[in-house]
């Protein structure tokens, strides 16, 4: 199929002409008010998240948040009540949940087409399956009834080499689109984050990613030459980068962004961390105002911006609401510690608090989208049984070495070196996270033994059941030693958790639980990715550590991780789902087995009485 030809044949004429770079003159700019409805970074999270607590009516209340059928319902509701609506998605639609693992973007595309976005900007994770994987997703997104324009001005696949560019650079996406509202026009330019996509995703080696700032300015200038003076950047470039980008550009008016999963707006009283105002107002290089917005993550928020341009193509006003999408369900723990649905006056107090907060919306999921998702959900239950590899021998599960948590293995099998499977999970994460030098994984993030035999997708999601992602932390050897000791200490603390015990890849060490806190883990050695020898870890050495976002936030006793994560120059969330990463690792290797003993993180273990386990 000539994808570009078929696509353009179905586009509205005003958009198709832009795709062909038509240079017909356009009318002078007209005063214009538009309403921008937007999301970003839904990462295949099509189902609602039922594990979030909000502070409602003075108490922590468990709520169900988001889900794509609610996104569809909220956007439809808002669009029906507004004029001049522009629906935008700022990238990273795919990878991060089982729906992508199983359907490779088909389910995401089907649900996105229920919204029918005007434009979708490519994000870094769109390239996780290489150019060919992105091509597959974009062909799923292609629909005769919904022509979402895909935008990526600074992405250049090699013509005749990349599956994305069989005949021209713009076969599967465009640098920008022009949306007409009567005689007035708005230009929307797509920008992807260049270095991160090259280094932390898997685009084809021949695909180029150009500088975000110079590319944006080039196409802003091109649009102005066409008489289009109302300019929106649809970026997958991170919130703080967007603020800096605005200051470097002339003639930009609005930036709708993604990638950093940034929550904007007044959510502090609810117990959520907001990074700034919604929208955030800054100035461009001309000194004119620029409106910057982002809509958090995982189908949880729909951004709703009212934007007015004056007759000279300048931003006149910009204001709006980030709608956090809630189900009509509110739970709290009872005297037994079980969460129960609220009733009576307690429920009324909570629903009154929700109604009083303009950022909260109780949303009934769209029926058509719900039915569509149910089809995929049914297949998920079947496809979870898909075999992705085989297990050569039983892989014992353990937390602290010798603790006896395994149901498959005698305690003697884990007394000296701990968990087979936890060491293997750390190794898998190190291999899947491209930039990592070493990996650290808490014992509690891994949940069970892995028996010999076939290994399915469902097995991986049972092994790694949490909604964790893999993150990068830039750390020194001294910081690594500190955090590993913190984890060991916390695993021994009666008020801590045995799940804190650290497993690692590319790191190995000795542990003596009878020693004083802070010195129980010692003789740390490192074999960084790409090297062959184990050497003593020097305090001054620097490494990129791969870990999960849960302990990266300082949880489970990994307190120093929180300090590192607070420094944005040392922290990056890859947003790779940790269960999917293990699935990919198993698929790539075919057969998984115990690691060589020399690669186990715990090389020597003494119990609390100082007895060597062997």
């Amino acid at each position: 199929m000539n994808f570009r030809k078929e696509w353009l044949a179905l586009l509205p004429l005003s958009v198709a002409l832009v795709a062909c770079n038509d240079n017909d003159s356009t009318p002078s700019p007209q005063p214009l008010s538009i309403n921008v409805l937007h999301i970003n970074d839904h990462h295949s999270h099509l189902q609602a998240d039922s594990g979030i607590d909000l502070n409602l009516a003075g108490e922590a209340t468990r709520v169900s948040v988001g889900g794509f059928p609610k996104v569809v319902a909220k956007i439809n509701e808002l669009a029906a009540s507004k004029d001049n609506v522009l629906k935008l998605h700022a990238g990273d639609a795919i990878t991060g949940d089982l729906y992508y693992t199983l359907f490779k973007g088909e389910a995401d595309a089907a649900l996105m087409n229920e919204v029918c976005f005007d434009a979708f900007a490519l994000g870094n994770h769109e390239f996780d399956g290489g150019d060919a994987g992105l091509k597959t997703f974009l062909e799923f997104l292609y629909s005769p009834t919904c022509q979402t324009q895909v935008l990526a001005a600074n992405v250049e696949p090699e013509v005749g080499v990349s599956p994305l560019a069989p005949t021209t650079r713009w076969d599967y996406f465009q640098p920008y689109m022009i949306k007409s509202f009567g005689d007035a026009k708005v230009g929307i330019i797509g920008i992807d984050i260049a270095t991160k996509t090259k280094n932390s995703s898997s685009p084809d080696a021949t695909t180029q990613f150009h500088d975000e700032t110079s590319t944006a300015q080039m196409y802003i200038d091109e649009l102005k030459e066409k008489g289009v003076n109302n300019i929106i950047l649809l970026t997958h470039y991170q919130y703080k980068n967007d603020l800096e980008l605005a200051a470097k550009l002339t003639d930009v008016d609005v930036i709708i962004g993604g990638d950093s999963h940034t929550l904007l707006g007044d959510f502090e009283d609810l117990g959520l961390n907001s990074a700034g105002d919604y929208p955030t107002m800054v100035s461009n290089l001309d000194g004119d105002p620029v409106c910057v917005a982002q809509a958090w993550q995982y189908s949880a928020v729909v951004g709703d911006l009212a934007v007015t341009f004056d007759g000279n193509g300048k931003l006149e006003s910009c204001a709006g609401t980030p709608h956090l999408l809630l189900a009509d369900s509110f739970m709290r723990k009872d005297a037994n510690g079980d969460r129960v649905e609220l009733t009576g006056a307690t429920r009324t107090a909570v629903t009154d608090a929700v109604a009083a907060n303009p950022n909260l919306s109780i949303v009934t999921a769209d029926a058509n989208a719900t039915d569509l998702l149910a089809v995929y959900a049914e297949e998920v239950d079947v496809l979870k049984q898909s075999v992705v590899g085989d297990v050569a021998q039983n892989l014992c599960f353990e937390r602290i070495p010798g603790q006896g948590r395994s149901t498959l293995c005698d305690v003697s099998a884990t007394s000296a070196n701990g968990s087979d499977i936890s060491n293997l999970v750390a190794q898998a994460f190190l291999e899947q996270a491209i930039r990592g030098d070493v990996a650290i994984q808490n014992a509690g993030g891994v949940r069970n033994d892995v028996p010999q035999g076939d290994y399915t997708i469902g097995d991986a999601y049972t092994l790694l059941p949490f909604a964790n992602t893999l993150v990068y932390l830039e750390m020194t050897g001294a910081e690594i030693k500190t955090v590993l000791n913190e984890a060991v200490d916390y695993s021994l603390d009666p008020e801590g958790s045995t799940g804190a015990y650290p497993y690692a890849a590319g790191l190995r060490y000795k542990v003596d639980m009878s020693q004083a806190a802070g010195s129980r883990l010692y003789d740390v050695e490192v074999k960084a990715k790409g090297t062959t020898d184990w050497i003593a870890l020097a305090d001054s050495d620097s490494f990129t550590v791969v870990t999960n976002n849960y302990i990266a936030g300082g949880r489970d006793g990994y307190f120093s991780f929180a300090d590192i994560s607070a420094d944005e120059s040392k922290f990056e969330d890859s947003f790779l789902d940790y269960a999917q990463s293990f699935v990919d690792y198993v698929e790539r290797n075919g057969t998984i087995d115990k690691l060589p003993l020399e690669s186990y993180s715990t090389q020597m273990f003494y119990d609390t009485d100082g007895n060597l386990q062997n």
Side-chain angles (χ1 to χ4, degrees):
M1 152 179 165
N2 186 327
F3 182 83
R4 183 171 185 266
K5 180 178 179 181
E6 297 293 331
W7 181 285
L8 294 180
L10 290 166
L11 287 177
L13 181 59
S14 61
V15 176
L17 290 174
V18 171
C20 294
N21 291 319
D22 187 273
N23 288 311
D24 288 350
S25 61
T26 55
S28 299
Q30 302 291 318
L32 175 65
S33 293
I34 64 172
N35 292 282
V36 181
L37 307 177
H38 63 99
I39 69 168
N40 53 273
D41 296 279
H42 84 257
H43 280 287
S44 302
H45 285 246
L46 303 179
Q47 298 277 19
D49 183 347
S50 59
I52 292 180
D53 288 331
L54 297 181
N55 183 11
L56 295 171
E59 293 186 39
T61 306
R62 179 58 55 92
V63 296
S64 176
V65 171
F68 222 91
K70 290 189 184 68
V71 170
V72 175
K74 191 63 180 179
I75 290 180
N76 286 346
E77 172 202 327
L78 294 169
S81 65
K82 300 174 184 292
D83 297 323
N84 296 339
V85 171
L86 187 61
K87 295 179 285 187
L88 304 177
H89 190 313
D92 274 5
I94 57 174
T95 78
D97 191 85
L98 192 55
Y99 282 96
Y100 177 74
T101 306
L102 298 179
F103 300 111
K104 303 304 181 187
E106 179 184 356
D108 295 283
L111 271 294
M112 288 172 68
N113 284 333
E114 291 294 299
V115 172
C116 197
F117 293 96
D118 292 287
F120 166 65
L122 295 184
N124 53 297
H125 282 283
E126 266 69 67
F127 288 91
D128 283 356
D131 289 21
L134 175 54
K135 171 180 177 287
T136 297
F137 169 58
L138 294 183
E139 290 183 347
F140 285 138
L141 188 62
Y142 167 81
S143 167
T145 59
C146 173
Q147 292 89 53
T148 296
Q149 180 63 64
V150 181
L151 303 177
N154 62 325
V155 178
E156 184 174 0
E158 184 171 352
V159 176
V161 175
S162 168
L164 293 169
T167 57
T168 77
R169 174 182 175 182
W170 306 118
D171 285 338
Y172 277 80
F173 52 84
Q174 294 292 309
Y176 60 80
M177 67 177 290
I178 298 172
K179 180 77 171 182
S180 297
F181 298 98
D183 291 335
K185 298 182 183 295
V186 176
I188 304 107
I189 301 168
I191 296 291
D192 190 15
I193 187 165
T195 300
K196 182 178 180 180
T197 305
K198 288 186 291 185
N199 294 339
S200 298
S201 190
S202 303
D204 288 7
T206 57
T207 295
Q208 299 180 57
F209 295 82
H210 300 298
D211 178 75
E212 299 89 350
T213 304
S214 59
T215 302
Q217 191 64 65
M218 177 176 71
Y219 285 110
I220 288 171
D221 295 344
E222 182 172 314
L223 284 167
K224 285 182 64 64
E225 290 176 2
K226 293 176 176 287
V228 180
N229 294 323
N230 304 319
I231 306 295
I232 295 175
L233 298 185
L234 185 59
T235 71
H236 195 79
Y237 191 43
Q238 303 186 359
Y239 173 62
K240 289 199 171 182
N241 288 340
D242 284 340
L243 301 181
E244 295 173 2
L245 179 65
K248 297 175 183 177
L249 298 174
T250 64
D251 299 299
V252 63
D253 300 300
V254 177
I255 300 179
I256 302 296
D259 189 56
S260 53
H261 295 223
T262 302
L263 179 64
L264 298 177
D266 185 7
F267 290 94
E268 300 299 331
D269 290 345
L270 298 170
L272 299 177
N273 295 321
S274 174
D277 294 335
Y278 181 94
T280 302
M281 301 303 300
V282 293
S283 297
N284 64 22
L285 193 59
D286 304 310
D288 296 323
V290 181
C291 174
V292 180
Q294 195 171 137
W296 206 20
Q297 62 184 6
Y298 302 155
S299 309
V301 169
V302 169
D304 175 12
L305 277 181
V307 179
T308 301
F309 303 97
D310 68 15
N312 297 309
K314 305 295 184 184
L315 182 70
E316 190 170 80
S317 66
C318 184
T321 303
H323 299 281
L324 180 61
L325 312 180
L326 306 180
D328 191 8
S329 174
F330 304 95
M331 306 178 78
R332 288 179 183 161
K333 289 184 178 180
D334 63 11
N336 297 320
D338 300 321
R339 286 191 176 87
V340 296
E341 192 70 32
L342 299 183
T343 59
T346 305
R347 174 182 166 82
T348 299
V350 167
T351 55
D352 286 348
V354 170
N357 190 320
N359 293 337
L360 299 180
S361 295
I362 297 176
V363 180
T364 300
D366 179 82
N368 290 335
T370 298
D371 291 344
L372 180 60
L373 182 56
V375 173
Y376 290 102
E378 288 176 7
E379 291 188 53
V380 164
D381 291 336
V382 175
L383 292 172
K384 278 182 179 179
Q385 306 309 312
S386 298
V387 174
V388 292
D390 68 272
V391 183
Q393 58 183 314
N394 289 344
L395 301 176
C396 307
F397 165 68
E398 189 60 282
R399 287 192 169 188
I400 297 174
Q403 190 180 9
R405 300 276 296 225
S406 177
T407 60
L408 273 183
C409 308
D410 184 79
V411 68
S412 61
T414 64
S415 294
N417 306 103
S419 177
D420 300 323
I421 185 57
S422 301
N423 278 294
L424 188 65
V425 164
Q427 182 63 39
F429 291 168
L430 180 58
E431 293 189 21
Q432 292 301 117
I434 297 172
R435 291 205 299 108
D437 298 314
V438 298
I440 297 173
Q441 169 65 30
N442 61 318
V446 182
R447 306 305 288 185
N448 54 262
D449 296 296
V450 174
Q452 182 182 20
D454 290 342
Y455 198 74
T456 68
I457 291 172
D459 290 333
Y461 277 80
T462 301
L463 177 73
L464 303 166
F466 305 109
N468 291 338
T469 58
L470 302 184
V471 304
Y472 300 111
L473 301 176
E474 303 301 327
M475 301 181 68
T476 65
E479 290 168 334
I480 290 172
K481 292 174 184 177
T482 296
V483 79
L484 289 173
N485 262 293
E486 288 173 344
V488 168
D489 294 343
Y490 199 74
S491 73
L492 197 59
D493 188 335
E495 297 182 0
S497 169
T498 57
Y501 191 85
Y503 288 90
L507 294 166
R508 66 184 188 184
Y509 34 76
K510 299 172 184 176
V511 177
D512 187 346
M513 298 297 247
S514 69
Q515 298 302 307
S519 58
R520 292 180 172 121
L521 186 147
Y522 60 100
D523 284 356
V524 184
E525 294 182 315
V526 61
K527 185 175 76 172
K529 186 191 292 183
T531 64
T532 57
D533 298 322
W534 290 96
I535 60 174
L537 178 65
D539 288 350
S540 59
D541 288 347
S542 296
F543 298 92
T544 300
V545 177
V546 177
T547 190
N548 66 72
N549 66 319
Y550 178 76
I551 61 173
R555 298 177 180 88
D556 237 4
Y558 290 75
F559 305 117
S560 293
F561 272 170
D563 296 332
I564 303 298
S565 297
D567 184 342
E568 292 188 358
S569 67
K570 297 180 179 180
F571 171 87
E572 179 189 327
D573 196 330
S574 75
F575 298 108
L576 292 170
D577 178 84
Y578 87 148
Q580 181 176 312
S581 295
F582 193 70
V583 169
D584 293 343
Y585 172 80
V586 175
E587 281 189 309
R588 190 176 73 251
N589 286 276
T591 299
I592 58 174
D593 199 352
K594 295 182 180 183
L595 297 172
L597 190 58
E598 69 164 20
S599 297
Y600 275 57
S601 48
T602 300
Q603 285 288 296
M604 190 176 293
F605 184 79
Y606 295 82
D607 65 19
T608 53
D609 294 323
N611 298 315
L612 176 63
Q613 307 299 301
N614 51 37

